[in-house]
Amino acid sequence: MNHNLLKKQVDGLFDTSGQLLFNEQTNQVIYTYFYRNQFLITNPKLTLIKTGKTIDTITKAQIKVAKIKSKNETVLAKQPLLVNRLMASYGNYLFVNSALMGKHEPKIMWDKASIIDVYNLKDNSYSFSFYIYNKQDKTMDEFIVINDYVVNLNGKHLTIERIKTDYYKPWQY
């Protein structure tokens, strides 16, 4: 266990929520925060290798908590601003379905598709973005990446799409 890996910003509970991934190709653990533009890369023993940032600008989790004294509980006072919605990793890449519309993102595309931002984990850089189109006006529920394919679950629909770009080289570790 590593009790110092996740960094508290507001309450240390909700503000550190995120998704944990294991990348078999690089033998690394990747933790992406839900409510801020940050991800962590560790070895399998949870020793920090490096941190990275997504292209979203939310550096501090926008969370408001409330205490219920009668139950001795801490709860969310309102719905927090979600930054990173869904994540996957393959090879030297992190795929993030952003929950926030990009500055240069066309509104029409935001309504028709989920945007996947791709980050190169080797040099900690943004690489490119692509769309996963909605099915029956619903956004995707989950996705994984295998080689140069994206497998997407959307309600009762399962789609497999190929990533076609020169920017993505999934076999170079």
Side-chain angles (χ1 to χ4, degrees), residues 10-12 20 24 29 40 45 52 54 56 63 65-66 79 108 120-121 125 134 139 168-169 173:
V10 179
D11 69 325
L20 186 68
E24 288 184 53
V29 176
L40 311 173
K45 293 185 179 188
T54 63
D56 293 292
I63 292 180
V65 295
Q79 187 67 32
I108 190 139
N120 186 317
L121 298 174
S125 66
N134 299 343
T139 59
Y168 180 61
K169 300 175 182 7
Y173 308 124

Side-chain angles (χ1 to χ4, degrees), residues 30-33 36-41 48 50-54 84 94 96 119-121 124-125:
I30 303 164
Y31 186 82
T32 307
Y33 290 98
R36 60 179 117 158
N37 68 342
Q38 189 177 34
F39 58 89
L40 311 173
I41 303 171
L48 184 64
K50 62 183 162 183
T51 61
K53 292 189 184 285
T54 63
N84 302 310
L94 174 64
V96 178
Y119 301 89
N120 186 317
L121 298 174
N124 239 2
S125 66

Side-chain angles (χ1 to χ4, degrees), residues 66-77:
K67 302 241 186 228
I68 301 175
K69 290 182 182 180
S70 63
K71 294 182 178 182
N72 196 26
E73 289 181 357
T74 302
V75 296
L76 289 169

Side-chain angles (χ1 to χ4, degrees), residues 33-122:
Y33 290 98
F34 286 136
Y35 305 117
R36 60 179 117 158
N37 68 342
Q38 189 177 34
F39 58 89
L40 311 173
I41 303 171
T42 75
N43 66 20
K45 293 185 179 188
L46 299 182
T47 302
L48 184 64
I49 296 171
K50 62 183 162 183
T51 61
K53 292 189 184 285
T54 63
I55 57 176
D56 293 292
T57 59
I58 308 299
T59 58
K60 184 168 183 192
Q62 296 182 17
I63 292 180
K64 294 203 186 307
V65 295
K67 302 241 186 228
I68 301 175
K69 290 182 182 180
S70 63
K71 294 182 178 182
N72 196 26
E73 289 181 357
T74 302
V75 296
L76 289 169
K78 69 175 195 171
Q79 187 67 32
L81 179 66
L82 184 63
V83 176
N84 302 310
R85 187 169 153 306
L86 299 170
M87 285 64 77
S89 184
Y90 189 87
N92 288 317
Y93 298 91
L94 174 64
F95 299 81
V96 178
N97 170 222
S98 177
L100 302 175
M101 189 164 73
K103 184 177 180 181
H104 301 289
E105 198 72 54
K107 172 82 168 95
I108 190 139
M109 286 311 298
W110 187 256
D111 294 336
K112 291 184 176 189
S114 296
I115 291 82
I116 307 294
D117 298 323
V118 183
Y119 301 89
N120 186 317
L121 298 174
K122 249 185 180 175

